[in-house]
Amino acid sequence: MTADERTPELLMLLADTGDQPVPGSAVLRMETTSSRAGFFDGAWWPRSRDIRSQLPDLIDALTVRLGPIARVGLDASAWDEAPGHLVIGDRRVRIDWSAVDDSTMIITRGHQDHFSFLVIPPHASASAAHTAMTMAVRDGNCTSAEQILDAAGIVAT
């Protein structure tokens, strides 16, 4: 299966969020930001805490929509291991790890082109994940990841 074949079910635009998401899905709003606080460009609900099995499909889907992805910034506490990079397709994607524990992810496409994502914990219910994803990418959202997860009833583990 190619990245193009996976994209429709994995990556949705905000207008397509009427259905309940499935684990592993992402919601994207096409705006960029250089901040880790508020104004999320997207939200991602991985299936597990295994970064090696979860990140490649997301990067493949984002690459189809956004172009080549150079770096990903993640919270170390949210994942079982913290590799410095992954080879995804024919590209080496650098992974920057932080100990901030803020349930966010930064996708970098170029030097100044950043997309900020809310990361939904894998254990969240479909209903709670849908609520959090929709809140995160709503126009004008200035709510932190922690506040969004709390409002959706998602308790971090």
Side-chain angles (χ1 to χ4, degrees):
M1 181 178 295
T2 68
D4 290 324
E5 291 168 336
R6 281 193 303 263
T7 301
E9 67 184 47
L10 176 67
L11 187 64
M12 301 178 289
L13 293 178
L14 180 58
D16 301 325
T17 61
D19 295 324
Q20 294 295 317
V22 295
S25 65
V27 175
L28 180 66
R29 181 182 60 171
M30 300 298 285
E31 293 179 25
T32 62
T33 181
S34 59
S35 171
R36 286 185 68 94
F39 297 112
F40 291 105
D41 302 299
W44 178 41
W45 184 25
R47 291 180 177 98
S48 74
R49 293 173 46 103
D50 177 7
I51 194 66
R52 291 180 190 276
S53 71
Q54 298 303 297
L55 192 59
D57 284 346
L58 177 67
I59 296 301
D60 283 346
L62 289 173
T63 297
V64 169
R65 184 77 68 165
L66 304 175
I69 305 299
R71 297 169 80 146
V72 177
L74 292 165
D75 296 326
S77 64
W79 302 95
D80 293 336
E81 64 173 313
H85 73 276
L86 290 177
V87 176
I88 300 173
D90 63 350
R91 298 185 57 88
R92 180 180 165 126
V93 177
R94 179 176 169 175
I95 304 176
D96 298 319
W97 297 96
S98 71
V100 178
D101 193 25
D102 64 357
S103 299
T104 64
M105 171 177 63
I106 301 293
I107 299 288
T108 304
R109 186 170 59 174
H111 295 294
Q112 300 294 321
D113 206 1
H114 307 282
F115 293 85
S116 178
F117 279 69
L118 172 69
V119 179
I120 311 294
H123 67 271
S125 70
S127 176
H130 183 263
T131 297
M133 293 171 109
T134 302
M135 288 175 64
V137 296
R138 187 172 292 138
D139 283 340
N141 173 50
C142 291
T143 308
S144 73
E146 180 180 20
Q147 292 170 321
I148 290 171
L149 294 177
D150 284 346
I154 301 170
V155 177
T157 58

